[in-house]
Amino acid sequence: MAAGAGLRVGDLVWGKLGRYPPWPGKIVNPPKDLKKPRGKKCFFVKFFGTEDHAWIKVDQLKSYHVHKEEMIKSTKGKRFQQAVDAVEEFIKSKVSAFTSEDKSRHISSDGKRQHSSTAEISEHSARKRGRPPKEEKDSFPEPSTVKRLVTGPVVGYKWKSESCSAIIHQLKTTAEEEAESTSIQAADSTATNGSVTPTDKRIGFLGLGLMGTGIVANLLKMGHTVTVWNRTGEKCDPFLQEGARLGRTPAEVVSTCDITLSCISDPKAAKDLVLGPSGVLQGIRPGKCYVDMSTVDPETSTEISQVITSRGGRFLEAPVSGNRQLSENGMLVILAAGDKALFDDCSSCFQAMGKKSFYLGEVGNASKMMLIANMILGSFMASVAEGFTLAKRASQSQEVLLYILSQGPLASAFLDQKCQNILQGSFKPDFLLKHIQKDLRLAIAMGDSVNHSTPMAAAANEVFKKAKALDQSENDMSAVYLACNQ
């Protein structure tokens, strides 16, 4: 799991131990007589749907709101659902308390924001002041209202009532019960249910960027035979240790594999990979298959298709919708067009890397659809950044704004994650800013080609260009906030 950077006391989280399913909990202050384990970066977590608690390593924690959607999709079972329901009831109670008349903020006659005399300071306000929120005794449902669970992401340093060995035994039993109750998803859904049967075809992969690394990791995890190549060779090393083979050039990968996939940054890089020295085209011969998963314009995709098929090869464009995190979790959405038989041959690969794949017909259709989707995504991100900037300038709490948005129709893992980046001032790349700006630019050009104006996308594109000028190209797309805040 990704490191729990930026977490603090009072945060809702997902915690995980080994191969057992993540479990929802809340970071709390430990009892005074319970010391933190030496040499371990961890938080003390109290779990929902259970009376238990434990120290959990930071790298085994994730924000509850940011990762809720993916966790609920990847874990099933009655007990797990009861725990999630308990979290949601807790959130509702906090929102209700926050918005009730006798605990709400009001504006005094001189225009300053104040709290009513009987109101407690909210968690958001506490964080704004740079200190942990006050721990509440009634933060969790009473044991009598929720069936006690001895399960969840436990480190096991100290439990409330039972020994570590007993907890691990019951945890294993619960995990097995939940695995049995989890229904098998559709054939083209995510591979997290373990239902993928890997193809016996040899798979090649070119390009180990933010998306490619997650894709290859999941291909290997699901048992595919994979040969990798990357312009920066050391990026291949972790995958070689996991059983991947190394290709010295793109041409070599294509010539030794049945199906070669690639994921490259932009149209120029995609064409250079195919047409350049020792490129893909040099390894193509009748029957060889090439799948371009890059997000490019339809003209580039069509050009690549033509040169591949002119040598007797088979071609499929298959750009992916998602980000680094979704790639790592095997939750991408694949949009494909071109050779239908090749789309079918890639079935197990797409299952390993994604939750859904779509076949959209002739080459160019997938590129067009992906650009439209990312145009909407980029425009939305720019709008969110602008809204958070306005909240700050209008002396409104950005934390409260996020809380309000997370309870309405815009609620999503994407919104939570990007807004948390803004609140924390941390823009670790999950979807590179330069890539979403590239997609906006290509979408605008596509609009021009069909005589259709895209004024919203054009405005968003200018803000992202400004962010690039502020040296934010290699940061996450949410860094566009810095341009709005100028």
Side-chain angles (χ1 to χ4, degrees):
M1 297 180 73
L7 294 175
R8 65 193 81 184
V9 172
D11 282 351
L12 298 176
V13 295
W14 297 95
K16 183 170 176 17
L17 175 66
R19 64 185 182 87
Y20 299 111
W23 207 260
K26 181 182 178 183
I27 297 176
V28 299
N29 288 315
K32 292 182 180 180
D33 61 343
L34 186 59
K35 294 182 179 180
K36 183 177 181 180
R38 290 184 178 182
K40 296 183 181 295
K41 295 181 179 180
C42 53
F43 283 107
F44 195 71
V45 178
K46 188 174 181 181
F47 296 107
F48 282 90
T50 172
E51 298 177 9
D52 298 309
H53 46 248
W55 290 103
I56 303 294
K57 296 177 183 178
V58 170
D59 61 1
Q60 296 300 309
L61 293 171
K62 286 185 176 182
S63 167
Y64 176 81
H65 293 291
V66 173
H67 300 277
K68 180 173 75 171
E69 183 178 347
E70 68 185 78
M71 294 301 181
I72 291 176
K73 286 183 178 179
S74 63
T75 307
K76 305 293 182 183
K78 182 178 180 180
R79 293 175 177 175
F80 176 80
Q81 187 58 54
Q82 287 176 331
V84 173
D85 290 343
V87 182
E88 295 303 313
E89 285 299 317
F90 168 69
I91 293 173
K92 289 179 182 178
S93 70
K94 297 294 289 184
V95 174
S96 176
F98 181 78
T99 56
S100 63
E101 184 175 355
D102 65 332
K103 292 188 177 183
S104 64
R105 295 181 178 181
H106 64 274
I107 307 298
S108 64
S109 58
D110 60 1
K112 295 181 179 179
R113 290 182 297 158
Q114 298 181 356
H115 292 274
S116 61
S117 58
T118 58
E120 295 180 356
I121 297 175
S122 70
E123 286 190 5
H124 299 301
S125 299
R127 290 174 186 167
K128 189 173 182 181
R129 288 166 171 75
R131 62 178 176 78
K134 183 178 180 181
E135 183 65 17
E136 299 179 358
K137 293 182 180 179
D138 60 347
S139 295
F140 287 76
E142 291 295 326
S144 61
T145 64
V146 180
K147 184 177 180 181
R148 186 175 186 278
L149 305 178
V150 186
T151 184
V154 184
V155 170
Y157 295 119
K158 185 172 182 180
W159 282 81
K160 187 172 182 181
S161 59
E162 301 188 54
S163 68
C164 178
S165 60
I167 293 298
I168 295 299
H169 173 73
Q170 294 188 43
L171 178 61
K172 181 177 179 181
T173 301
T174 302
E176 291 172 349
E177 289 175 355
E178 287 173 355
E180 292 175 356
S181 67
T182 301
S183 60
I184 301 299
Q185 300 178 6
D188 59 349
S189 64
T190 179
T192 54
N193 57 27
S195 63
V196 174
T197 301
T199 178
D200 58 0
K201 296 182 182 297
R202 296 164 295 179
I203 305 300
F205 200 92
L206 313 175
L208 298 175
L210 287 181
M211 304 295 280
T213 52
I215 291 173
V216 172
N218 281 303
L219 288 173
L220 290 170
K221 185 190 302 182
M222 294 301 149
H224 294 82
T225 300
V226 184
T227 300
V228 296
W229 173 89
N230 190 69
R231 186 174 56 182
T232 307
E234 54 265 28
K235 285 191 175 182
C236 297
D237 293 343
F239 301 106
L240 301 183
Q241 296 174 11
E242 295 298 321
R245 302 171 183 177
L246 179 65
R248 292 175 296 178
T249 65
E252 181 181 286
V253 173
V254 173
S255 64
T256 58
C257 295
D258 301 303
I259 301 173
T260 299
L261 303 91
S262 70
C263 192
I264 306 298
S265 59
D266 56 45
K268 182 180 184 304
K271 287 193 286 188
D272 289 346
L273 182 66
V274 173
L275 303 174
S278 300
V280 169
L281 192 60
Q282 295 187 24
I284 292 292
R285 59 178 184 269
K288 290 292 181 180
C289 303
Y290 184 58
V291 181
D292 191 349
M293 308 192 78
S294 314
T295 300
V296 299
D297 56 282
E299 291 78 16
T300 294
S301 192
T302 298
E303 181 180 345
I304 293 174
S305 173
Q306 290 173 346
V307 296
I308 295 295
T309 56
S310 69
R311 295 284 184 90
R314 300 162 60 195
F315 178 78
L316 187 75
E317 60 170 355
V320 292
S321 177
N323 52 32
R324 176 190 56 79
Q325 188 175 74
L326 294 177
S327 176
E328 291 175 351
N329 293 335
M331 297 289 283
L332 296 170
V333 174
I334 301 100
L335 308 184
D339 191 313
K340 180 59 167 63
L342 179 51
F343 173 77
D344 295 335
D345 288 342
C346 290
S347 175
S348 73
C349 294
F350 291 163
Q351 289 178 55
M353 68 181 74
K355 65 178 181 180
K356 196 75 175 177
S357 56
F358 296 89
Y359 179 74
L360 301 177
E362 64 181 21
V363 171
N365 286 346
S367 295
K368 292 175 182 177
M369 191 66 79
M370 183 58 66
L371 288 179
I372 294 169
N374 282 357
M375 179 188 75
I376 295 171
L377 190 69
S379 299
F380 178 67
M381 183 69 251
S383 182
V384 169
E386 187 173 75
F388 271 70
T389 302
L390 179 58
K392 180 179 179 180
R393 298 292 174 85
S395 300
Q396 297 301 299
S397 169
Q398 292 179 326
E399 292 91 343
V400 174
L401 173 59
L402 173 55
Y403 212 38
I404 292 170
L405 292 176
S406 69
Q407 302 304 309
L410 294 180
S412 65
F414 175 84
L415 178 72
D416 285 333
Q417 182 187 55
K418 301 312 178 187
C419 292
Q420 288 292 345
N421 290 349
I422 292 173
L423 295 178
Q424 296 169 14
S426 175
F427 303 103
K428 181 180 178 180
D430 194 51
F431 192 128
L432 288 176
L433 185 143
K434 66 179 181 181
H435 288 169
I436 195 67
Q437 190 275 321
K438 174 262 298 183
D439 294 345
L440 283 165
R441 172 174 55 83
L442 294 178
I444 293 167
M446 185 172 72
D448 291 341
S449 71
V450 293
N451 197 31
H452 178 73
S453 63
T454 51
M456 303 302 175
N461 185 47
E462 291 304 314
V463 184
F464 278 100
K465 285 165 62 177
K466 183 178 179 181
K468 287 178 65 177
L470 295 173
D471 295 325
Q472 298 301 314
S473 291
E474 301 297 327
N475 282 333
D476 187 72
M477 68 161 73
S478 52
V480 71
Y481 170 76
L482 301 178
C484 294
N485 204 33
Q486 287 287 304

